Coordinates of all heavy atoms in Angstrom, one line a residue:
M1 N 134.3 175.2 83.9 CA 135.4 174.6 83.3 C 135.4 173.1 83.6 O 135.3 172.8 84.8 CB 136.7 175.2 83.6 CG 137.9 174.5 83.1 SD 139.5 175.2 83.6 CE 139.8 176.2 82.2
P2 N 135.4 172.2 82.7 CA 135.4 170.7 83.0 C 136.7 170.3 83.6 O 137.8 170.9 83.4 CB 135.2 170.1 81.6 CG 135.7 171.1 80.6 CD 135.5 172.4 81.2
W3 N 136.6 169.2 84.4 CA 137.8 168.7 85.1 C 138.6 167.9 84.1 O 138.0 167.2 83.2 CB 137.4 167.7 86.2 CG 136.9 168.4 87.4 CD1 136.3 169.6 87.5 CD2 136.9 167.8 88.7 NE1 136.0 169.9 88.8 CE2 136.3 168.8 89.6 CE3 137.3 166.6 89.3 CZ2 136.1 168.6 90.9 CZ3 137.1 166.4 90.6 CH2 136.5 167.4 91.4
S4 N 139.9 167.9 84.2 CA 140.8 167.1 83.4 C 140.9 165.7 84.0 O 140.5 165.5 85.2 CB 142.2 167.7 83.3 OG 142.8 167.7 84.5
R5 N 141.5 164.8 83.3 CA 141.7 163.4 83.8 C 142.6 163.6 85.1 O 142.4 162.9 86.1 CB 142.4 162.6 82.8 CG 141.6 162.3 81.6 CD 142.4 161.7 80.4 NE 143.2 160.6 80.8 CZ 142.8 159.3 80.8 NH1 141.6 158.9 80.4 NH2 143.7 158.3 81.1
E6 N 143.6 164.4 85.0 CA 144.5 164.6 86.2 C 143.8 165.2 87.4 O 144.0 164.8 88.5 CB 145.7 165.5 85.8 CG 146.7 164.8 84.8 CD 146.1 164.7 83.4 OE1 145.2 165.5 83.0 OE2 146.7 163.9 82.6
D7 N 142.8 166.2 87.1 CA 142.0 166.7 88.2 C 141.2 165.6 88.9 O 141.2 165.6 90.2 CB 141.1 167.8 87.7 CG 141.7 169.0 87.2 OD1 142.9 169.4 87.6 OD2 141.1 169.7 86.3
M8 N 140.6 164.8 88.1 CA 139.8 163.7 88.7 C 140.7 162.7 89.5 O 140.3 162.3 90.6 CB 139.0 163.0 87.6 CG 137.9 163.8 87.0 SD 136.9 162.9 85.8 CE 137.7 163.4 84.3
A9 N 141.9 162.4 89.0 CA 142.8 161.5 89.7 C 143.3 162.1 91.0 O 143.3 161.4 92.0 CB 143.9 161.1 88.8
A10 N 143.6 163.4 91.0 CA 144.1 164.1 92.2 C 143.0 164.1 93.2 O 143.2 163.9 94.4 CB 144.5 165.5 91.8
R11 N 141.7 164.3 92.8 CA 140.6 164.4 93.7 C 140.4 163.0 94.3 O 140.2 162.9 95.6 CB 139.3 164.9 93.0 CG 138.1 164.8 93.9 CD 138.3 165.7 95.1 NE 137.2 165.6 96.0 CZ 137.1 164.7 97.1 NH1 138.1 163.9 97.3 NH2 136.1 164.6 97.9
A12 N 140.5 161.9 93.6 CA 140.3 160.6 94.1 C 141.4 160.3 95.1 O 141.2 159.6 96.1 CB 140.3 159.6 92.9
A13 N 142.6 160.7 94.8 CA 143.7 160.4 95.7 C 143.5 161.0 97.1 O 144.1 160.5 98.1 CB 145.0 160.9 95.1
R14 N 142.8 162.1 97.2 CA 142.5 162.7 98.5 C 141.6 161.8 99.4 O 141.5 162.1 100.6 CB 141.9 164.1 98.3 CG 142.8 165.1 97.7 CD 142.5 166.5 97.9 NE 141.1 166.9 97.8 CZ 140.5 167.6 96.8 NH1 141.2 168.0 95.8 NH2 139.2 167.8 96.9
E15 N 141.0 160.8 98.8 CA 140.2 159.9 99.6 C 141.0 158.8 100.2 O 140.5 158.1 101.1 CB 139.1 159.2 98.7 CG 138.1 160.2 98.1 CD 137.3 160.9 99.2 OE1 136.9 160.2 100.1 OE2 137.0 162.1 99.0
L16 N 142.3 158.7 99.9 CA 143.1 157.6 100.4 C 143.5 157.9 101.9 O 143.9 159.1 102.2 CB 144.4 157.4 99.5 CG 144.1 157.2 98.1 CD1 145.4 157.0 97.3 CD2 143.2 156.0 97.8
K17 N 143.5 156.9 102.7 CA 143.9 157.0 104.1 C 145.2 156.2 104.3 O 145.3 155.1 103.7 CB 142.8 156.6 105.0 CG 141.5 157.3 104.8 CD 141.5 158.7 105.2 CE 140.1 159.3 105.1 NZ 140.1 160.6 104.5
D18 N 146.0 156.6 105.2 CA 147.2 155.9 105.6 C 146.8 154.4 105.9 O 145.9 154.1 106.7 CB 147.9 156.6 106.8 CG 149.3 156.2 106.9 OD1 150.0 156.2 105.8 OD2 149.8 156.0 108.0
G19 N 147.6 153.5 105.3 CA 147.4 152.1 105.6 C 146.4 151.4 104.8 O 146.2 150.1 104.9
Y20 N 145.7 152.1 103.9 CA 144.7 151.5 103.0 C 145.4 150.5 102.0 O 146.5 150.7 101.5 CB 144.0 152.5 102.2 CG 142.7 153.1 102.8 CD1 142.4 152.9 104.1 CD2 141.8 153.8 102.0 CE1 141.2 153.4 104.6 CE2 140.7 154.3 102.5 CZ 140.3 154.1 103.8 OH 139.2 154.7 104.3
Y21 N 144.6 149.5 101.7 CA 144.8 148.6 100.5 C 143.9 149.2 99.4 O 142.7 149.3 99.6 CB 144.5 147.2 100.8 CG 145.5 146.5 101.7 CD1 145.5 146.7 103.0 CD2 146.5 145.6 101.1 CE1 146.4 146.1 103.9 CE2 147.4 145.0 101.9 CZ 147.4 145.2 103.3 OH 148.3 144.6 104.1
V22 N 144.5 149.6 98.3 CA 143.7 150.3 97.3 C 143.8 149.6 95.9 O 144.9 149.4 95.4 CB 144.2 151.8 97.1 CG1 143.4 152.6 96.1 CG2 144.2 152.5 98.5
N23 N 142.7 149.3 95.3 CA 142.6 148.7 94.0 C 142.4 149.8 93.0 O 141.6 150.7 93.2 CB 141.4 147.8 93.9 CG 141.2 147.3 92.5 OD1 140.5 148.0 91.7 ND2 141.7 146.2 92.1
L24 N 143.3 149.9 92.0 CA 143.2 150.9 90.9 C 142.8 150.2 89.6 O 143.4 149.3 89.1 CB 144.6 151.5 90.7 CG 145.1 152.3 91.9 CD1 146.5 152.9 91.5 CD2 144.1 153.4 92.3
G25 N 141.6 150.6 89.1 CA 141.1 150.1 87.9 C 141.8 150.7 86.7 O 142.8 151.4 86.7
I26 N 141.2 150.4 85.5 CA 141.7 150.9 84.2 C 141.3 152.3 83.9 O 140.2 152.8 84.3 CB 141.2 149.9 83.1 CG1 141.6 148.5 83.3 CG2 141.6 150.4 81.7 CD1 141.0 147.5 82.4
G27 N 142.2 153.0 83.3 CA 141.9 154.4 82.9 C 142.4 155.4 83.9 O 143.5 155.3 84.4
I28 N 141.5 156.4 84.2 CA 141.9 157.4 85.1 C 142.4 156.9 86.5 O 143.3 157.4 87.0 CB 140.7 158.4 85.3 CG1 140.5 159.2 84.0 CG2 141.0 159.4 86.4 CD1 139.2 160.0 84.0
P29 N 141.8 155.8 87.0 CA 142.3 155.3 88.3 C 143.8 155.0 88.3 O 144.4 155.2 89.3 CB 141.5 154.0 88.5 CG 140.2 154.3 87.8 CD 140.6 155.1 86.6
T30 N 144.4 154.6 87.2 CA 145.8 154.4 87.2 C 146.6 155.6 87.4 O 147.8 155.6 87.9 CB 146.3 153.7 85.9 OG1 146.1 154.6 84.8 CG2 145.7 152.4 85.6
L31 N 146.0 156.8 87.1 CA 146.7 158.1 87.4 C 146.7 158.4 88.9 O 147.5 159.3 89.3 CB 146.0 159.2 86.6 CG 146.0 159.1 85.1 CD1 145.2 160.2 84.5 CD2 147.4 159.1 84.5
V32 N 145.8 157.8 89.7 CA 145.7 158.2 91.1 C 147.1 158.0 91.8 O 147.4 158.8 92.7 CB 144.6 157.4 91.8 CG1 144.6 157.5 93.3 CG2 143.3 157.8 91.2
A33 N 147.8 157.0 91.4 CA 149.1 156.7 92.0 C 150.1 157.9 91.9 O 150.9 158.1 92.8 CB 149.8 155.5 91.4
N34 N 149.9 158.8 90.9 CA 150.7 160.0 90.8 C 150.4 161.1 91.8 O 151.1 162.0 91.9 CB 150.6 160.5 89.4 CG 151.1 159.6 88.3 OD1 152.0 158.7 88.6 ND2 150.5 159.7 87.1
Y35 N 149.3 161.0 92.5 CA 148.8 162.0 93.3 C 148.6 161.6 94.8 O 148.0 162.4 95.5 CB 147.5 162.6 92.8 CG 147.6 163.2 91.4 CD1 147.3 162.4 90.2 CD2 148.1 164.5 91.2 CE1 147.5 162.9 89.0 CE2 148.3 165.0 89.9 CZ 148.0 164.2 88.8 OH 148.2 164.7 87.6
I36 N 149.2 160.5 95.2 CA 149.1 160.1 96.6 C 149.9 161.1 97.4 O 151.1 161.3 97.2 CB 149.5 158.6 96.7 CG1 148.7 157.7 95.9 CG2 149.5 158.2 98.2 CD1 149.2 156.3 95.9
P37 N 149.3 161.6 98.5 CA 150.0 162.6 99.3 C 151.2 161.9 99.9 O 151.2 160.7 100.3 CB 149.0 162.9 100.4 CG 147.7 162.7 99.8 CD 147.9 161.5 98.9
A38 N 152.3 162.7 100.1 CA 153.6 162.1 100.6 C 153.4 161.5 102.0 O 154.2 160.6 102.3 CB 154.6 163.2 100.6
D39 N 152.5 162.0 102.8 CA 152.4 161.5 104.2 C 151.4 160.4 104.3 O 151.1 159.9 105.4 CB 151.9 162.7 105.1 CG 150.6 163.3 104.7 OD1 150.2 163.2 103.5 OD2 149.9 163.9 105.6
V40 N 150.9 159.8 103.1 CA 150.0 158.7 103.2 C 150.6 157.5 102.5 O 151.1 157.6 101.4 CB 148.7 159.1 102.4 CG1 147.7 157.9 102.3 CG2 148.0 160.3 103.0
Q41 N 150.7 156.4 103.3 CA 151.3 155.2 102.8 C 150.1 154.2 102.5 O 149.4 153.9 103.4 CB 152.2 154.6 103.8 CG 153.4 155.5 104.2 CD 154.3 155.7 103.0 OE1 154.7 154.8 102.3 NE2 154.6 157.0 102.7
V42 N 150.0 153.8 101.2 CA 149.0 152.8 100.8 C 149.7 151.7 100.1 O 150.8 151.8 99.6 CB 147.9 153.5 100.0 CG1 147.2 154.5 100.7 CG2 148.5 154.0 98.7
L43 N 149.0 150.6 100.0 CA 149.5 149.4 99.2 C 148.5 149.3 98.0 O 147.3 149.1 98.2 CB 149.5 148.2 100.0 CG 150.3 147.0 99.5 CD1 151.8 147.4 99.3 CD2 150.2 145.8 100.4
L44 N 149.0 149.5 96.8 CA 148.2 149.5 95.6 C 148.1 148.1 95.0 O 149.0 147.3 95.0 CB 148.8 150.4 94.5 CG 149.0 151.9 94.9 CD1 149.7 152.6 93.8 CD2 147.6 152.5 95.2
Q45 N 146.8 147.8 94.6 CA 146.5 146.5 94.0 C 146.0 146.7 92.5 O 145.3 147.7 92.3 CB 145.5 145.8 94.8 CG 145.2 144.4 94.2 CD 143.7 144.0 94.3 OE1 142.8 144.9 94.3 NE2 143.4 142.8 94.2
S46 N 146.5 145.9 91.6 CA 146.0 146.0 90.3 C 145.0 144.8 90.0 O 145.2 143.7 90.5 CB 147.2 145.8 89.3 OG 146.7 145.9 88.0
E47 N 144.0 145.1 89.2 CA 143.0 144.1 89.0 C 143.5 142.8 88.3 O 142.9 141.8 88.4 CB 141.9 144.7 88.1 CG 141.1 145.8 88.8 CD 140.2 146.5 87.9 OE1 140.3 146.4 86.6 OE2 139.3 147.3 88.4
N48 N 144.7 142.9 87.7 CA 145.2 141.8 87.0 C 146.1 140.9 87.9 O 146.7 140.0 87.4 CB 146.0 142.2 85.7 CG 147.1 143.1 86.0 OD1 147.0 143.9 86.9 ND2 148.2 143.0 85.2
G49 N 146.1 141.1 89.2 CA 146.7 140.2 90.1 C 148.1 140.6 90.7 O 148.9 139.8 90.9
M50 N 148.2 141.9 91.0 CA 149.5 142.4 91.6 C 149.1 143.2 92.8 O 148.4 144.2 92.7 CB 150.3 143.2 90.6 CG 151.6 143.5 91.0 SD 152.5 144.3 89.6 CE 154.0 144.7 90.3
L51 N 149.6 142.9 94.0 CA 149.4 143.7 95.2 C 150.8 144.2 95.6 O 151.7 143.4 95.9 CB 148.8 142.8 96.3 CG 148.6 143.5 97.7 CD1 147.6 144.6 97.5 CD2 148.2 142.5 98.7
G52 N 150.9 145.5 95.7 CA 152.2 146.1 96.0 C 152.8 146.7 94.7 O 154.0 146.3 94.4
I53 N 152.1 147.5 94.0 CA 152.6 148.1 92.8 C 153.5 149.2 93.1 O 153.2 150.1 93.9 CB 151.4 148.7 91.9 CG1 150.5 147.6 91.5 CG2 151.9 149.4 90.7 CD1 149.2 148.1 90.9
G54 N 154.7 149.2 92.5 CA 155.7 150.2 92.7 C 155.5 151.3 91.6 O 154.5 151.3 90.8
P55 N 156.4 152.3 91.6 CA 156.2 153.4 90.7 C 156.5 153.0 89.2 O 157.0 151.9 89.0 CB 157.3 154.4 91.1 CG 158.3 153.6 91.9 CD 157.5 152.4 92.5
F56 N 156.1 153.9 88.3 CA 156.4 153.6 86.9 C 157.9 153.5 86.8 O 158.6 154.3 87.3 CB 155.8 154.7 86.0 CG 154.3 154.7 85.9 CD1 153.6 155.8 86.4 CD2 153.7 153.7 85.3 CE1 152.2 155.8 86.4 CE2 152.3 153.7 85.2 CZ 151.6 154.7 85.8
P57 N 158.4 152.5 86.0 CA 159.9 152.4 85.9 C 160.5 153.5 84.9 O 159.8 154.0 84.1 CB 160.0 151.0 85.2 CG 158.7 150.8 84.5 CD 157.7 151.5 85.3
Y58 N 161.7 153.7 85.1 CA 162.5 154.6 84.3 C 162.6 153.9 82.9 O 162.7 152.7 82.8 CB 163.9 154.9 84.8 CG 163.8 155.7 86.1 CD1 164.1 155.2 87.3 CD2 163.4 157.1 86.1 CE1 164.1 155.9 88.5 CE2 163.3 157.8 87.2 CZ 163.7 157.2 88.4 OH 163.6 158.0 89.6
E59 N 162.7 154.8 81.9 CA 162.9 154.3 80.5 C 164.2 153.4 80.5 O 165.2 153.7 81.0 CB 163.1 155.4 79.5 CG 163.1 155.0 78.1 CD 163.1 156.2 77.1 OE1 162.6 157.2 77.5 OE2 163.6 156.0 76.0
G60 N 164.0 152.2 79.9 CA 165.1 151.2 79.8 C 165.1 150.2 80.9 O 165.8 149.2 80.8
E61 N 164.3 150.5 81.9 CA 164.2 149.5 83.1 C 162.9 148.8 83.1 O 162.6 148.1 84.1 CB 164.4 150.3 84.4 CG 165.8 150.9 84.5 CD 166.0 151.6 85.8 OE1 165.2 151.6 86.7 OE2 167.1 152.3 85.9
E62 N 162.1 148.9 82.1 CA 160.8 148.3 82.1 C 160.9 146.8 82.0 O 161.8 146.3 81.3 CB 159.9 148.8 80.9 CG 159.7 150.3 80.8 CD 160.7 151.0 79.9 OE1 161.8 150.4 79.6 OE2 160.5 152.1 79.5
D63 N 160.0 146.1 82.7 CA 159.8 144.7 82.6 C 158.4 144.4 82.0 O 157.4 144.7 82.6 CB 159.9 144.0 83.9 CG 159.8 142.5 83.9 OD1 159.2 142.0 82.9 OD2 160.2 141.8 84.8
P64 N 158.4 144.0 80.7 CA 157.1 143.8 80.1 C 156.1 142.9 80.8 O 154.9 142.9 80.5 CB 157.4 143.3 78.7 CG 158.8 142.7 78.8 CD 159.5 143.5 79.9
D65 N 156.6 142.1 81.7 CA 155.7 141.2 82.5 C 155.1 141.9 83.7 O 154.2 141.3 84.3 CB 156.5 139.9 82.9 CG 156.9 139.1 81.8 OD1 156.1 139.0 80.8 OD2 158.0 138.5 81.8
L66 N 155.5 143.0 84.0 CA 155.0 143.8 85.2 C 154.1 144.9 84.7 O 154.7 146.0 84.3 CB 156.1 144.3 86.1 CG 157.0 143.3 86.7 CD1 158.1 144.0 87.5 CD2 156.2 142.3 87.6
I67 N 152.8 144.7 84.6 CA 151.9 145.7 84.1 C 150.7 145.9 85.1 O 150.4 145.0 85.8 CB 151.4 145.3 82.7 CG1 150.7 144.0 82.7 CG2 152.5 145.3 81.7 CD1 149.9 143.6 81.5
N68 N 150.1 147.1 85.0 CA 148.9 147.3 85.8 C 147.7 146.9 84.9 O 147.9 146.4 83.8 CB 148.9 148.8 86.3 CG 148.8 149.8 85.1 OD1 148.5 149.5 84.0 ND2 149.2 151.0 85.5
A69 N 146.5 147.2 85.4 CA 145.3 146.8 84.7 C 145.2 147.5 83.4 O 144.5 147.1 82.5 CB 144.1 147.1 85.6
G70 N 145.8 148.7 83.2 CA 145.8 149.4 82.0 C 146.9 149.1 81.0 O 147.1 149.8 80.0
K71 N 147.6 148.0 81.3 CA 148.7 147.5 80.5 C 149.9 148.4 80.4 O 150.7 148.4 79.5 CB 148.3 147.1 79.1 CG 147.3 145.9 79.1 CD 147.0 145.5 77.7 CE 146.2 144.2 77.7 NZ 144.9 144.3 78.2
Q72 N 150.0 149.3 81.5 CA 151.2 150.2 81.6 C 152.2 149.4 82.4 O 151.9 148.8 83.4 CB 150.8 151.5 82.3 CG 149.8 152.3 81.6 CD 149.2 153.4 82.5 OE1 148.8 153.1 83.6 NE2 149.2 154.6 82.0
T73 N 153.5 149.6 82.0 CA 154.5 148.9 82.8 C 154.7 149.6 84.2 O 154.6 150.8 84.3 CB 155.9 148.9 82.1 OG1 156.3 150.2 81.7 CG2 155.9 148.0 80.9
V74 N 154.8 148.8 85.2 CA 155.0 149.3 86.6 C 156.2 148.5 87.2 O 156.8 147.7 86.5 CB 153.8 149.0 87.4 CG1 152.6 149.9 86.9 CG2 153.4 147.6 87.5
S75 N 156.6 148.9 88.4 CA 157.7 148.2 89.0 C 157.1 147.4 90.2 O 155.9 147.6 90.6 CB 158.7 149.2 89.5 OG 158.2 150.1 90.4
E76 N 157.9 146.5 90.8 CA 157.4 145.8 91.9 C 158.2 146.3 93.2 O 159.2 146.9 93.0 CB 157.7 144.3 91.7 CG 159.1 143.9 91.5 CD 159.3 142.4 91.2 OE1 158.4 141.6 91.4 OE2 160.4 142.1 90.8
L77 N 157.7 146.0 94.3 CA 158.3 146.3 95.6 C 158.8 145.1 96.2 O 158.5 144.0 95.8 CB 157.2 147.0 96.5 CG 156.5 148.2 96.0 CD1 155.4 148.6 96.9 CD2 157.5 149.4 95.8
P78 N 159.6 145.2 97.2 CA 160.1 144.0 97.9 C 159.0 143.1 98.5 O 159.2 141.9 98.7 CB 161.0 144.5 99.0 CG 161.5 145.8 98.5 CD 160.3 146.4 97.8
T79 N 157.9 143.7 98.8 CA 156.7 143.0 99.4 C 155.6 142.7 98.4 O 154.6 142.2 98.8 CB 156.1 143.9 100.5 OG1 155.7 145.1 99.9 CG2 157.1 144.1 101.6
T80 N 155.9 142.8 97.1 CA 154.8 142.6 96.1 C 154.4 141.1 96.1 O 155.2 140.2 96.2 CB 155.4 143.0 94.7 OG1 155.6 144.4 94.7 CG2 154.3 142.7 93.6
S81 N 153.1 140.9 95.9 CA 152.5 139.6 95.8 C 151.8 139.4 94.5 O 151.3 140.4 93.9 CB 151.5 139.3 96.9 OG 152.1 139.4 98.2
Y82 N 151.8 138.2 93.9 CA 151.1 138.0 92.6 C 150.1 136.9 92.8 O 150.3 135.9 93.6 CB 152.2 137.5 91.6 CG 153.2 138.6 91.4 CD1 154.4 138.5 92.1 CD2 153.0 139.6 90.5 CE1 155.4 139.5 91.9 CE2 154.0 140.6 90.3 CZ 155.2 140.5 91.0 OH 156.2 141.4 90.8
F83 N 149.0 137.0 92.1 CA 147.9 136.0 92.1 C 147.1 136.2 90.8 O 147.3 137.1 90.0 CB 147.0 136.3 93.4 CG 146.9 137.7 93.7 CD1 145.9 138.5 93.2 CD2 147.8 138.3 94.7 CE1 145.8 139.9 93.5 CE2 147.7 139.6 95.0 CZ 146.7 140.4 94.4
S84 N 146.1 135.3 90.6 CA 145.3 135.4 89.4 C 144.3 136.6 89.5 O 144.0 137.1 90.6 CB 144.5 134.1 89.3 OG 143.4 134.0 90.2
S85 N 143.8 136.9 88.3 CA 142.8 138.0 88.3 C 141.5 137.6 89.0 O 140.8 138.4 89.6 CB 142.5 138.5 86.9 OG 142.0 137.4 86.1
A86 N 141.2 136.3 89.0 CA 140.0 135.8 89.7 C 140.2 136.1 91.2 O 139.3 136.5 91.9 CB 139.8 134.4 89.4
E87 N 141.4 135.8 91.7 CA 141.6 136.0 93.2 C 141.6 137.5 93.5 O 141.2 137.9 94.5 CB 143.0 135.4 93.6 CG 143.0 133.9 93.6 CD 144.3 133.3 93.8 OE1 145.3 133.7 93.0 OE2 144.5 132.5 94.7
S88 N 142.1 138.3 92.5 CA 142.2 139.7 92.7 C 140.7 140.3 92.8 O 140.5 141.1 93.8 CB 142.8 140.4 91.5 OG 142.9 141.8 91.6
F89 N 139.8 139.9 92.0 CA 138.5 140.4 92.1 C 137.8 139.8 93.3 O 137.0 140.5 93.9 CB 137.7 140.0 90.8 CG 138.0 140.9 89.7 CD1 138.8 140.5 88.6 CD2 137.5 142.2 89.6 CE1 139.1 141.4 87.5 CE2 137.8 143.1 88.6 CZ 138.6 142.6 87.5
G90 N 138.2 138.6 93.7 CA 137.6 138.0 95.0 C 138.1 138.8 96.2 O 137.3 139.0 97.1
M91 N 139.3 139.4 96.1 CA 139.7 140.2 97.2 C 138.9 141.5 97.3 O 138.5 141.9 98.4 CB 141.2 140.6 97.0 CG 142.2 139.4 97.2 SD 143.8 139.8 96.6 CE 144.4 141.0 97.7
V92 N 138.6 142.1 96.2 CA 137.7 143.3 96.1 C 136.3 143.0 96.6 O 135.8 143.6 97.5 CB 137.7 143.9 94.7 CG1 136.8 145.1 94.7 CG2 139.2 144.4 94.4
R93 N 135.7 142.0 96.0 CA 134.3 141.6 96.3 C 134.2 141.1 97.7 O 133.2 141.2 98.3 CB 133.8 140.6 95.3 CG 133.6 141.1 93.9 CD 133.0 140.1 93.0 NE 133.0 140.5 91.7 CZ 133.7 139.9 90.7 NH1 134.3 138.8 90.9 NH2 133.7 140.4 89.5
G94 N 135.2 140.5 98.2 CA 135.2 139.9 99.6 C 135.4 140.9 100.7 O 135.5 140.5 101.9
G95 N 135.7 142.2 100.3 CA 135.9 143.2 101.4 C 137.3 143.2 102.0 O 137.5 143.8 103.0
H96 N 138.2 142.7 101.2 CA 139.6 142.6 101.8 C 140.4 143.8 101.3 O 141.6 144.0 101.7 CB 140.3 141.3 101.3 CG 139.5 140.1 101.7 ND1 139.5 139.7 103.0 CD2 138.8 139.3 101.0 CE1 138.7 138.6 103.1 NE2 138.3 138.3 101.9
I97 N 139.8 144.7 100.4 CA 140.5 145.9 99.9 C 139.7 147.1 100.5 O 138.5 147.1 100.5 CB 140.4 145.9 98.4 CG1 141.2 144.7 97.8 CG2 141.0 147.2 97.8 CD1 142.6 144.6 98.1
D98 N 140.4 148.0 101.0 CA 139.8 149.2 101.7 C 139.0 150.1 100.7 O 138.0 150.7 101.0 CB 140.8 150.0 102.5 CG 141.4 149.2 103.6 OD1 140.6 148.7 104.5 OD2 142.6 149.0 103.6
L99 N 139.6 150.3 99.5 CA 139.0 151.2 98.6 C 139.3 150.7 97.1 O 140.5 150.3 96.9 CB 139.6 152.6 98.8 CG 139.1 153.7 97.8 CD1 137.7 154.0 98.1 CD2 140.0 155.0 98.1
S100 N 138.3 150.7 96.3 CA 138.5 150.4 94.9 C 138.1 151.6 94.0 O 137.0 152.1 94.2 CB 137.7 149.2 94.6 OG 137.9 148.7 93.3
I101 N 139.0 152.0 93.2 CA 138.8 153.2 92.3 C 138.6 152.6 90.9 O 139.6 152.1 90.3 CB 139.9 154.2 92.4 CG1 140.1 154.7 93.9 CG2 139.6 155.4 91.5 CD1 141.2 155.6 94.1
L102 N 137.4 152.7 90.4 CA 137.1 152.0 89.1 C 137.0 153.1 88.0 O 136.5 154.2 88.2 CB 135.8 151.2 89.2 CG 135.8 150.1 90.3 CD1 134.4 149.5 90.4 CD2 136.9 149.1 90.0
G103 N 137.3 152.6 86.8 CA 137.2 153.5 85.7 C 135.7 153.4 85.2 O 134.9 152.6 85.6
A104 N 135.4 154.3 84.3 CA 134.0 154.3 83.7 C 134.1 154.5 82.2 O 135.1 155.0 81.7 CB 133.2 155.4 84.3
M105 N 133.1 154.1 81.5 CA 133.0 154.2 80.1 C 132.2 155.4 79.7 O 131.3 155.8 80.4 CB 132.5 153.0 79.4 CG 133.4 151.8 79.7 SD 132.8 150.3 78.9 CE 133.8 150.4 77.4

């Protein structure tokens, strides 16, 4: 039986370690946030320049300026930082992010 998108996201989430900075790419990687174990605290980064992604907002509380790499609305945390996408990729390429989960075509 083939794995569903949710199965793949849940499996990827098991690779997360407490304290990691984690980049989530487009597609299935954005689902990983839904499967982070409760006892693991990570800081999520989006490729479009947001470090400290909060949960998906409730309906009616969306801010169209706060989106992840997949253009889904997200929320911010009190510690969220913003920067350009060039700086975001530099953080990943420069080894400043512990784990990057990328989508595939």
Side-chain angles (χ1 to χ4, degrees):
M1 173 182 263
W3 286 23
S4 69
R5 294 168 49 90
E6 291 74 19
D7 292 336
M8 289 184 264
R11 175 60 188 92
R14 293 199 322 250
E15 296 298 319
L16 305 181
K17 306 289 185 227
D18 202 42
Y20 268 16
Y21 287 78
V22 181
N23 171 273
L24 298 180
I26 297 171
I28 292 172
T30 61
L31 299 174
V32 171
N34 297 333
Y35 298 97
I36 298 172
D39 61 335
V40 174
Q41 298 297 311
V42 298
L43 198 57
L44 300 176
Q45 183 218 23
S46 180
E47 295 170 346
N48 60 326
M50 189 175 179
L51 178 65
I53 298 172
F56 290 113
Y58 293 109
E59 187 173 333
E61 295 180 6
E62 302 95 341
D63 180 340
D65 292 326
L66 298 178
I67 58 172
N68 64 18
K71 295 188 174 61
Q72 298 165 310
T73 55
V74 294
S75 63
E76 61 185 347
L77 303 172
T79 57
T80 298
S81 299
Y82 300 95
F83 34 85
S84 72
S85 60
E87 291 172 307
S88 178
F89 282 105
M91 291 167 68
V92 173
R93 290 185 190 118
H96 306 286
I97 300 296
D98 296 301
L99 181 68
S100 187
I101 302 174
L102 303 176
M105 299 183 93

